[in-house]
Structure formats: C-alpha cells, structure tokens
Amino acid sequence: MKANLEDIAKAAGVSKMTVSRVLRGGTGFSDDTRDRVRKVAESLGYVPNKLAAAFGADQASTLVGMCVPRLTSGLFGQVLDGVDRALSRLGYQLIIGANNHSTEEEEAWVRQIVSWRPAGLILSGRTHQPGTVDLLRQAGMPVVEIWDLTTSPIDMSVGFSHVDCGAEMGQHLLRRGRRRAGYVGALARADVMGQARLDGFRAALAEAGHPLVASELLLDMPGFYAGLYGLETLLSRTRDLDVVYFHNDEMAIGGLAYAQARGIRVPEDLGIAGWGGMEAASILPRRLTTTVVPTTAIGKAAAEALVARLKGEPGQDVTVVPTRLVPGETG
Amino acid sequence: MKANLEDIAKAAGVSKMTVSRVLRGGTGFSDDTRDRVRKVAESLGYVPNKLAAAFGADQASTLVGMCVPRLTSGLFGQVLDGVDRALSRLGYQLIIGANNHSTEEEEAWVRQIVSWRPAGLILSGRTHQPGTVDLLRQAGMPVVEIWDLTTSPIDMSVGFSHVDCGAEMGQHLLRRGRRRAGYVGALARADVMGQARLDGFRAALAEAGHPLVASELLLDMPGFYAGLYGLETLLSRTRDLDVVYFHNDEMAIGGLAYAQARGIRVPEDLGIAGWGGMEAASILPRRLTTTVVPTTAIGKAAAEALVARLKGEPGQDVTVVPTRLVPGETG
DNA sequence: CTGAAAGCGCTAACAC
DNA sequence: GTGTTAGCGCTTTCAG
C-alpha cells in the first residue's frame, strides 16, 4: 500500500492535482493525460486513501453509521439489508453497532462513531439520552430515527406507531369475539417499542370494557423458546384466557408450539397473535394473525432520506410507513 | 463540531501535545494539568477527530470491515453479533457489507473498504476473486476468512467443513435406514457453501451404494416458503423418496409445512433434515434433524484472531470450529 | 488544461 | 512534565 498521488504524478509527469482530478473523474485534463494517469495508477496498484481525502477536504466522510437494538433480530436484519443496498448504490459505506436496547450503550456508540465524522447517522427508536441528542444537534449532522414514529425527530424520522399496532390488534381480536386477552412479552421493560405495543393493546381492550386479563414479561430475548415458555408460564397463572398477544412472531410461533404440545386447540380454545410479519407466519398450517411491518422499505427510505438531505434536496422530515394487520387463522 | 486540540490548548494554557496526551489517557502531565484540560475539553464539547488521528498517525484505523453473503440471513446475524460484541469491547468499529453471494460484489466492496485503511477485514467464504486476494496480500492487512474452512487462507481462517456437514448428514440418514434421498437447495449455484454440503451429502450416499435420487435447486433465497415450494416441486417430479435434505433449517421447516398440509407423515412417510441449527428447529412438535453451527462463537473467534494479530500476539492461522449433527424426530 | 501553495487535526519524535 | 517541529495524503483555492 505504497503508491500515493505524488508517486503517480511523478511517474506520469504531471502534478498531484491533475492526478487527483483524473482519478476522481472530474474535468480539466486532456484525454491523453487521463489515459496516461490511469495506466500509471493501475500499474502502481494505487489504492486511494479515504482517510486523507475525508480529512483533507471538508471533514465529511462517506461513512454512514447505523445503530440497531440487536443484530440477531430478523426484522432488523431486513432493515439493515434495505439500508445497505440503498447506501452502497449511492457510494456510502455502513458502520453498524448494536445498543442492546440501552440508550446508554447507544450514546457510547454514537460518541465513537461521530468522531469518524460520518456523513450521517441512522438510529433505532425515538428515545435517546439527552447527551446523545445534544451531541447530534451540535454536530449538525443528518440523523434519521427509524422504527418508532416521532413527530419531533432530532432531524428526520421514518417509522410507524407501535401504540397503534397494539391498539389495532386489540380491536381486531375484540371483533373476532375475544374477551379475555393475555400478553407475553420479552426483554423486560428494556424494549420501549414492545412496551408501546402493549400499551396500545391494553388501552384498546380497556376502552371496549374487556381489559387485559394477564401479562407475562420475560427477561429473555424474544425468540421461539421464550414464546413457548412464556405461554406456559402465563397459563400456569391464569387458565381463563381466550387469546394471547405476543411480543413478536417468533414468540407467537413458540406459543403455538406449546399449545400444540398440550393439546390446546388454536384458535378454538385459544387465539394467538404475533407481530412483525416474519415469513414463517404465512406458511404455518394455520396462518398466524400478525402485523406485517415493511422492514426493507423502512431501511431504504431511511437511507434515501439521509442522502437527499446530504445533497441538499428537499425531503420530508417525518415519513410514516404503513403497517398492515394480516388476519390469519390463529386469532 | 468546532473545538479541536488547539482550542483546548489555548483555553487551558498548555500545548496541543499535552492536551493530546491527557485526552488519550497517556502519561507525562501533572494531575493539575490533567484536570484543567479535561474540564476545558468537556466545556467546549470536544469531539475527537479519528479521521485526523488515523491519518496522521500510522495509517491504521480502528475500523474493521466485515463482508457477509446476505444481511437477512439469521445465521450471519448471529455471527455479526459475535463479531460486534468482541470488537466493540476491544475498541474497534465495524463496517459491514453484503456481497449477495458474488465474489465480484465482494471485490468491489473490498476496494471501497480498503481505502479506509481498516485495521483488518473479515470475509465470508474461501472463494474470492484473484484481484481481491492480490489486493489484500499487497495491503498486508490482517484478514480472517470465516464460515468455510480452508487450510490455505489469505491470512487466517475460522470455520468448518461444509462438505463434512453434508457427508455426516448423509451417513446419519443412511444409518436411520433411509435409502432414497432427495435434496432441495436455493440460490442456484451462487452459494458455493450450500453446494459443498450437497457435494458431501451426495458423495456419502453414493459411497454407500444409495445415490441421491433427485435434487431441486431453486433460484430463490433460502427461506420458509422456498422450502415449501421446493419440496412440492421435487415431489412432483419424483414421489419415490424416503428423505429430503434441505439447504437450511428455514427451508426444512417450509418442507415440513408442505408435508403436513399434504398429509405426508414425517418421519414415517418422509424424513426431513435441515442445516444450521436455528432455534425454531428445537421447538417443533417433532424436533428437526439438523446440524448446529456455532455462529456466535465463530464471530467471536474471528474478531479475537484479528485483534490478536493486530497486537502482535501469537495465534493460530486456522481455527476449526466443530459443528454438531443433532438427530431430531424428523429424520 | 494544468500547477503551486496552503492547510485539514492529529501524533511521533525529539528537545528542553 | 511540557513544548516544538514535522508531516501524514489529499483537496481547495488561486494563479497561470
């Protein structure tokens, strides 16, 4: 990794500046010069130094940072995919981090990343440490908050309302005749967005006069086994339920497995509903009642909003993406 | 984002160098100076510029690049998680990219990332473009190839043998009395590691005198629905199978769903086996026969091997991680 | 169309 | 314990 612009310039008999212009595909050089410079660069195995470029220029790199709650979440994997595709197409590189549902960890990550002078940041959720918000406002760098809708973003927001998701599901289950609902969650209270769905769910039920009967908030990660175990625990406390809403589809599918193992008929004896819209929900023998979230579209929209802002193009500060309740055969 | 070392130096009445030493937690300053500098830095809202630091120092940043086949793969999400946890603990930041199972896309990504002068790179798979290998060797930067075992890595390798995975599963199914096996894959031939499992599987069957009866290689992503559809397609061509090996667990579970929908009894009428060890495999009414891959451990080992190399600590060039065939109730 | 000069913010090396 | 000097590789600005 030795050759730099100077080396190429010498070998090609031009100045550094001309080499720089040629290699960045600018204008202001003859075809002859261009060909000569390119050939020399190639033969020297030149690799540009973006560290120097970003530093020397105006301090803004083509790095974009993105912080997600967990890297093992299937939904966030899809969001990341949407972001990555859009960003790499536009010439940016993606730095990622996980905050483990902690705003403190998020702040630590943001401090690290901001010192790389990224072009922008994508954060998950609307809840942050005050210090994080101060830092980002002061840095004046484009920030997109995704996943959870906020009407007063730090800068921009792409998301949907978790409260509404929960409320809609509550109303749907009530329409289906369910009257005694339970809830199985995970991550304790660390996941504010899961909490928001529970809040919406609870409020919708209460409003209709059929309040939530019982809930079980596990400490675990929201996986298949947690759902199975969570339903078992919930039912050991209260048998008298006619439907259970789960933190997400993985857990709901775990709940389904428990019901099947115990001979509990779904949906006859017990309704089951999930959230997220994982692919497996639609191929189950009985399709899972769930809320489909447009994950990849959110990622794409976030990346594009960020880049639009960087290019000075007009764009919306708040983008609401629609979720869709898909009635299945389980509730 | 205005304050720099100079500003702090002036306000604290010391030199830039002293500020630099204090802020990096070095030695060579009085307690008094330290406290004063820290206070000033804090009050000025100083954010260090890693671009300048990495550039000015020795050209090696604390950035680590990692390229995975797909960001939507659950298994790679777990690997990323392992890498991220280890790396962030050690003070590095993670740049990611997806190559969509294409070595050409991988090379384009590597060229972008190398120009950020990362401390090291983690690549997935052992197959790369010649240009990629040349570039990396020339750059002399630590590289860990993960997932697919190679005894002649570019630099280091952490993985296991996909051929062995397939062979083991073939032998296991033969021991269980299966004689007419089929295979359902995805991603056509783009996924060389899935191909390797098929190769191993096929060879084990042939060796025992019960060669593979039929296989169906879909173009799709290896998901639940692809598995369902793939089994349907395979069986429409050949009814006479007593077991089917799938590209991964998602697809196997999709196959299970198809069998259930069609009244095909598993494992009586048809055995089903997957690969990967996703959590859902173990909570199915009939636990899926599969191969468990230590995803997070691979990520952790890769990150640690990289950092050991950076610190000049001795380490192994090739780390073999064991996979484990878990006999379930489906095959 | 091309080049020279200046400087981005930081750190290594050395001097005091 | 602290300061000075030099320079990393590039781009911006301005001059020709």
Side-chain angles (χ1 to χ4, degrees):
Chain A
M1 194 96 73
K2 294 204 293 273
N4 59 20
L5 288 189
E6 182 90 52
D7 300 328
I8 299 172
K10 276 188 201 143
V14 293
S15 74
K16 288 196 316 187
M17 208 41 236
T18 300
V19 177
S20 174
R21 284 194 268 254
V22 169
L23 262 24
R24 277 183 298 157
T27 57
F29 41 77
S30 65
D31 288 4
D32 181 52
T33 303
R34 186 198 53 200
D35 295 344
R36 195 150 30 91
V37 166
R38 283 195 182 153
K39 188 147 52 180
V40 172
E42 168 81 37
S43 74
L44 257 36
Y46 174 69
V47 178
N49 186 337
K50 294 205 198 210
L51 244 26
F55 168 60
D58 60 345
Q59 315 268 64
S61 67
T62 55
L63 297 170
V64 169
M66 171 155 182
C67 193
V68 299
R70 292 179 299 127
L71 254 6
T72 51
S73 155
L75 294 182
F76 275 104
Q78 293 167 17
V79 177
L80 271 175
D81 184 54
V83 169
D84 180 62
R85 283 177 197 276
L87 243 33
S88 64
R89 194 169 51 78
L90 296 164
Y92 295 85
Q93 291 81 42
L94 224 204
I95 304 192
I96 57 163
N99 62 32
N100 297 303
H101 298 278
S102 149
T103 53
E104 281 88 358
E105 287 193 40
E106 179 185 72
E107 176 152 17
W109 181 85
V110 167
R111 287 196 181 279
Q112 290 287 323
I113 299 312
V114 165
S115 58
W116 286 108
R117 303 292 187 265
L121 248 37
I122 299 176
L123 302 180
S124 306
R126 58 191 289 190
T127 315
H128 315 282
Q129 291 291 315
T132 307
V133 177
D134 288 350
L135 178 63
L136 294 175
R137 283 201 204 282
Q138 188 196 337
M141 114 186 4
V143 176
V144 186
E145 292 165 88
I146 64 163
W147 209 239
D148 198 2
L149 196 64
T150 168
T151 50
S152 54
I154 298 175
D155 182 17
M156 291 171 285
S157 169
V158 176
F160 54 89
S161 163
H162 289 258
V163 174
D164 289 354
C165 283
E168 263 188 48
M169 186 56 81
Q171 287 150 9
H172 169 78
L173 297 175
L174 287 165
R175 276 199 304 277
R176 290 271 175 118
R178 306 293 174 175
R179 292 294 176 264
R180 299 192 56 77
Y183 178 86
V184 174
L187 296 163
R189 305 195 161 274
D191 179 10
V192 293
M193 298 181 260
Q195 283 292 308
R197 297 196 292 277
L198 172 55
D199 290 343
F201 187 64
R202 194 196 296 271
L205 298 178
E207 195 174 329
H210 305 290
L212 189 70
V213 174
S215 70
E216 180 65 32
L217 271 192
L218 304 175
L219 288 166
D220 309 62
M221 292 290 147
F224 295 97
Y225 183 72
L228 185 152
Y229 174 75
L231 182 56
E232 177 176 49
T233 307
L234 186 70
L235 292 181
S236 75
R237 289 171 30 210
T238 333
R239 301 287 323 182
D240 188 23
L241 296 173
D242 61 11
V243 67
V244 176
Y245 183 35
F246 286 80
H247 175 99
N248 66 9
D249 285 357
E250 275 95 332
M251 293 186 74
I253 291 173
L256 239 20
Y258 177 75
Q260 178 161 358
R262 287 309 176 97
I264 298 169
R265 292 171 307 159
V266 176
E268 295 83 354
D269 301 338
L270 185 72
I272 284 188
W275 179 86
M278 76 176 288
E279 196 198 358
S282 61
I283 65 146
L284 293 169
R286 302 220 155 154
R287 283 180 297 107
L288 180 68
T289 294
T290 186
T291 303
V292 175
V293 178
T295 49
T296 312
I298 289 173
K300 185 164 182 282
E304 287 171 350
L306 200 57
V307 174
R309 166 74 38 104
L310 289 170
K311 293 188 174 164
E313 294 166 7
Q316 300 186 72
D317 282 353
V318 176
T319 306
V320 182
V321 297
T323 60
R324 195 162 45 88
L325 193 156
V326 177
E329 292 143 5
T330 62
Chain B
M1 195 95 74
K2 295 202 293 272
N4 59 22
L5 288 190
E6 181 92 52
D7 300 328
I8 299 172
K10 276 187 201 143
V14 293
S15 73
K16 289 197 311 185
M17 206 45 229
T18 299
V19 177
S20 173
R21 284 193 268 251
V22 169
L23 263 24
R24 277 183 298 156
T27 56
F29 41 77
S30 66
D31 288 4
D32 182 52
T33 303
R34 187 197 51 200
D35 296 344
R36 196 152 28 94
V37 166
R38 283 196 182 152
K39 190 146 50 178
V40 173
E42 168 81 38
S43 73
L44 258 38
Y46 175 69
V47 178
N49 186 336
K50 293 204 195 208
L51 245 24
F55 168 60
D58 62 345
Q59 314 269 66
S61 66
T62 55
L63 260 14
V64 169
M66 170 156 183
C67 194
V68 300
R70 293 179 297 127
L71 254 6
T72 51
S73 156
L75 294 182
F76 274 104
Q78 292 167 16
V79 177
L80 272 174
D81 184 53
V83 169
D84 180 61
R85 283 176 196 277
L87 243 32
S88 62
R89 194 170 52 77
L90 296 164
Y92 294 85
Q93 292 80 42
L94 224 205
I95 305 192
I96 57 163
N99 63 32
N100 297 303
H101 298 277
S102 150
T103 53
E104 282 88 357
E105 286 193 42
E106 178 184 74
E107 175 152 20
W109 181 86
V110 167
R111 286 196 183 279
Q112 290 287 323
I113 299 312
V114 166
S115 58
W116 285 109
R117 302 294 189 266
L121 249 38
I122 300 175
L123 302 179
S124 305
R126 58 192 289 190
T127 316
H128 314 281
Q129 291 291 316
T132 307
V133 178
D134 288 349
L135 178 63
L136 293 176
R137 283 200 204 283
Q138 188 196 336
M141 117 187 1
V143 176
V144 186
E145 292 165 89
I146 65 164
W147 208 237
D148 197 3
L149 197 64
T150 168
T151 50
S152 54
I154 298 176
D155 182 18
M156 290 172 284
S157 169
V158 176
F160 54 90
S161 162
H162 289 259
V163 174
D164 288 355
C165 282
E168 262 188 49
M169 187 57 81
Q171 287 150 10
H172 169 78
L173 297 175
L174 288 165
R175 277 198 304 275
R176 290 274 175 116
R178 307 291 174 174
R179 292 293 176 265
R180 300 190 54 77
Y183 178 85
V184 174
L187 296 164
R189 303 196 162 274
D191 179 11
V192 294
M193 299 179 259
Q195 283 293 307
R197 297 196 292 276
L198 172 55
D199 291 344
F201 186 65
R202 194 197 297 272
L205 297 178
E207 195 175 327
H210 305 290
L212 188 71
V213 174
S215 70
E216 180 65 33
L217 270 192
L218 304 176
L219 289 166
D220 310 61
M221 292 291 148
F224 295 97
Y225 183 73
L228 185 154
Y229 174 76
L231 182 56
E232 177 176 49
T233 307
L234 186 70
L235 292 182
S236 74
R237 289 170 31 207
T238 334
R239 300 287 326 184
D240 188 23
L241 297 174
D242 62 11
V243 66
V244 176
Y245 183 35
F246 286 80
H247 175 97
N248 67 9
D249 285 357
E250 275 95 331
M251 292 187 75
I253 291 172
L256 238 21
Y258 178 76
Q260 179 161 357
R262 288 309 179 98
I264 299 169
R265 291 172 307 161
V266 176
E268 296 81 355
D269 300 339
L270 185 71
I272 284 189
W275 180 84
M278 76 178 289
E279 197 199 356
S282 62
I283 64 147
L284 293 169
R286 301 219 155 153
R287 281 180 298 106
L288 181 67
T289 294
T290 186
T291 303
V292 175
V293 178
T295 50
T296 312
I298 289 174
K300 183 163 183 282
E304 287 171 351
L306 200 57
V307 173
R309 167 72 41 104
L310 290 170
K311 294 189 174 163
E313 294 165 7
Q316 299 186 74
D317 282 354
V318 177
T319 306
V320 182
V321 297
T323 60
R324 195 162 46 87
L325 192 155
V326 177
E329 293 143 6
T330 62

